[in-house]
Amino acid sequence: MIGYYILIGLIALVSFAVSSKLKSKFEEYSRIHLRNGMSGAEIATQMLHDNGIYDVKVISTPGQLTDHYNPTDKTVNLSEGVYNQRNAAAAAVAAHECGHAVQHATAYSMLQLRSQLVPIVNIASGMSQWLIIGGLILGAAAGLGFGFYIAVAGLIMMAVATAFAFITLPVEYDASNRALAWLKNKNMLSQQEYAGAEDALKWAARTYVVAAIGALASLLYWALQVFGGSRDE
């Protein structure tokens, strides 16, 4: 277990560093005010309409960096700062979330796959580690039947959650690419504003990369505990 805690600690440190950098970047680019004077909400609405989407609502949601697109009720949820502010960071986030709305409208395959996995992952992510630990306690590492099968079931659940984390990567990068392409093609931002928006979205994407690597590392660790211990016997 000590190795696991060291692994989790290292991943947590990297995640903290990336998240801190992301926050500092957004603070930096929040000081770059848009020449067109448009708010995040206005940017989002314009991008939706330019893509022929009129059945998605842009609404304000409490918190910081709580922005997301909800495909169930077709809403682009922008944090209060993004919704009201008129700067490069707000433009980047608003356009990115609309990128997800465009994915939904165009039946982007990776988004569809991710959406299908959501209910499974909601269950699997909460149970997987407990099943693995319970299986190990019952004797999985010694190759004992009942405990081994419980641990393997936990590993399968964890593998699904890990796959979900990696499927999220192309979804997020594609949404950012759509956002940046629209901002550039429609000449929405000046060169400086665009550079800030692009950099902010790159750092946002890196948080998902760290999460995916962390999920994979955790899966490999527990797989070694289950199968490695069994082979040693």
Side-chain angles (χ1 to χ4, degrees):
M1 289 296 289
I2 294 177
Y4 177 72
Y5 290 129
I6 293 174
L7 173 65
I8 293 301
L10 290 173
I11 294 171
L13 284 174
V14 174
S15 179
F16 175 77
V18 173
S19 295
S20 297
K21 188 68 173 180
L22 173 61
K23 289 180 180 179
S24 70
K25 288 290 184 180
F26 270 87
E27 289 176 1
E28 176 185 350
Y29 299 131
S30 292
R31 293 190 289 270
I32 301 178
H33 298 288
L34 299 185
R35 62 176 182 177
N36 60 22
M38 295 177 70
S39 67
E42 292 168 340
I43 290 280
T45 300
Q46 186 64 52
M47 181 172 173
L48 291 172
H49 290 177
D50 284 349
N51 282 277
I53 301 173
Y54 295 91
D55 60 345
V56 173
K57 293 182 180 179
V58 180
I59 62 176
S60 177
T61 186
Q64 183 181 19
L65 297 179
T66 52
D67 313 87
H68 64 281
Y69 170 67
N70 187 335
T72 303
D73 59 8
K74 290 190 174 183
T75 56
V76 171
N77 300 262
L78 302 179
S79 58
E80 294 168 345
V82 171
Y83 188 91
N84 296 307
Q85 294 301 312
R86 306 168 188 273
N87 53 58
V93 173
H96 172 86
E97 297 309 331
C98 287
H100 290 306
V102 175
Q103 289 174 336
H104 189 197
T106 57
Y108 177 57
S109 60
M110 296 303 288
L111 179 66
Q112 290 182 319
L113 177 58
R114 185 182 185 278
S115 298
Q116 291 169 358
L117 287 176
V118 167
I120 300 173
V121 171
N122 286 340
I123 297 173
S125 60
M127 294 179 57
S128 59
Q129 188 169 318
W130 293 111
L131 285 174
I132 295 171
I133 293 174
L136 289 172
I137 292 174
L138 290 173
L144 301 180
F146 185 63
F148 178 77
Y149 291 125
I150 289 178
V152 169
L155 282 175
I156 292 172
M157 288 185 176
M158 188 173 284
V160 172
T162 301
F164 180 83
F166 278 91
I167 290 170
T168 295
L169 295 181
V171 173
E172 294 300 326
Y173 274 97
D174 179 78
S176 289
N177 290 337
R178 291 174 190 265
L180 291 170
W182 177 79
L183 289 170
K184 187 174 184 178
N185 293 337
K186 294 296 181 178
N187 197 30
M188 299 297 292
L189 306 180
S190 68
Q191 186 174 359
Q192 180 190 18
E193 294 163 357
Y194 181 86
E198 184 179 34
D199 192 38
L201 289 180
K202 283 182 179 179
W203 279 100
R206 286 166 186 162
T207 63
Y208 291 98
V209 174
V210 172
I213 293 173
L216 178 60
S218 184
L219 174 64
L220 292 176
Y221 174 84
W222 287 113
L224 285 173
Q225 301 310 301
V226 176
F227 295 111
S230 178
R231 285 196 302 270
D232 289 343
E233 293 293 324

